[in-house]
Amino acid sequence: MSESGKTVLLVEDNEDNRIVYSTILKHFGYDVTEALNGEEGIAKARAEKPDLILMDISIPIIDGWEATQVLKHDPATKSIPIIALTAHALASDREKAMEVGCDGYLAKPCEPRAVAAAVQKSRGRSDARAP
Ligand code: MN
């Protein structure tokens, strides 16, 4: 965990979404690192140990489901909360998000403030668990 406890890794292939989510998270005081595909997302999660990961599911090379499974099976990264961003509000997507180990789930299109609120809520839970 970072000293500030406020680093977010945003794994998202859509540039407009990256700009929008990154901008609002920075507005709320988070340091945001971006990754454009699943492979880069896994690499940056391992290298930077962010406090939270926002994981788009539809991303190139390794999709968000698989990237989440990889990170949740790695002792070095499994404790990092992952919030999935999925394109459809399908019940099956929600089930799958929990199945692969996601800690939260947002159905796109997501209002930027809903993204920031989900991050804050998740961080609040993590902080509450801290000694
Ligand atoms: Mn995408």
Side-chain angles (χ1 to χ4, degrees), residues 12-14 56 58-59 108:
E12 167 67 82
D13 62 327
N14 180 281
D56 181 26
S58 181
I59 47 177
K108 287 181 170 181

Side-chain angles (χ1 to χ4, degrees), residues 64-121:
W65 297 133
E66 197 181 337
T68 297
Q69 280 181 309
V70 168
L71 294 172
K72 289 298 185 181
H73 281 96
D74 182 340
T77 52
K78 69 178 183 187
S79 63
I80 303 171
I82 298 179
I83 298 175
L85 305 173
T86 79
H88 304 287
L90 299 174
S92 58
D93 273 357
R94 183 177 291 271
E95 282 166 22
K96 182 139 193 196
M98 298 309 140
E99 199 181 294
V100 301
C102 292
D103 301 86
Y105 166 103
L106 287 170
K108 287 181 170 181
C110 334
E111 281 294 318
R113 281 185 180 274
V115 174
V119 169
Q120 287 180 306
K121 193 177 156 206

Side-chain angles (χ1 to χ4, degrees), residues 9-109:
L9 172 60
L10 173 62
V11 188
E12 167 67 82
D13 62 327
N14 180 281
E15 186 179 12
D16 291 340
N17 288 341
R18 271 204 314 280
I19 292 168
V20 169
Y21 300 154
S22 177
T23 300
I24 189 139
L25 289 169
K26 286 174 185 166
H27 173 77
F28 279 93
Y30 294 93
D31 287 327
V32 183
T33 305
E34 298 176 358
L36 279 58
N37 60 62
E39 190 176 62
E40 191 185 2
I42 292 168
K44 287 195 172 174
R46 286 177 170 155
E48 300 179 20
K49 305 286 192 310
D51 297 304
L52 183 137
I53 300 169
L54 275 174
M55 180 75 78
D56 181 26
I57 292 306
S58 181
I59 47 177
I61 306 180
I62 298 173
D63 74 23
W65 297 133
E66 197 181 337
T68 297
Q69 280 181 309
V70 168
L71 294 172
K72 289 298 185 181
H73 281 96
D74 182 340
T77 52
K78 69 178 183 187
S79 63
I80 303 171
I82 298 179
I83 298 175
L85 305 173
T86 79
H88 304 287
L90 299 174
S92 58
D93 273 357
R94 183 177 291 271
E95 282 166 22
K96 182 139 193 196
M98 298 309 140
E99 199 181 294
V100 301
C102 292
D103 301 86
Y105 166 103
L106 287 170
K108 287 181 170 181

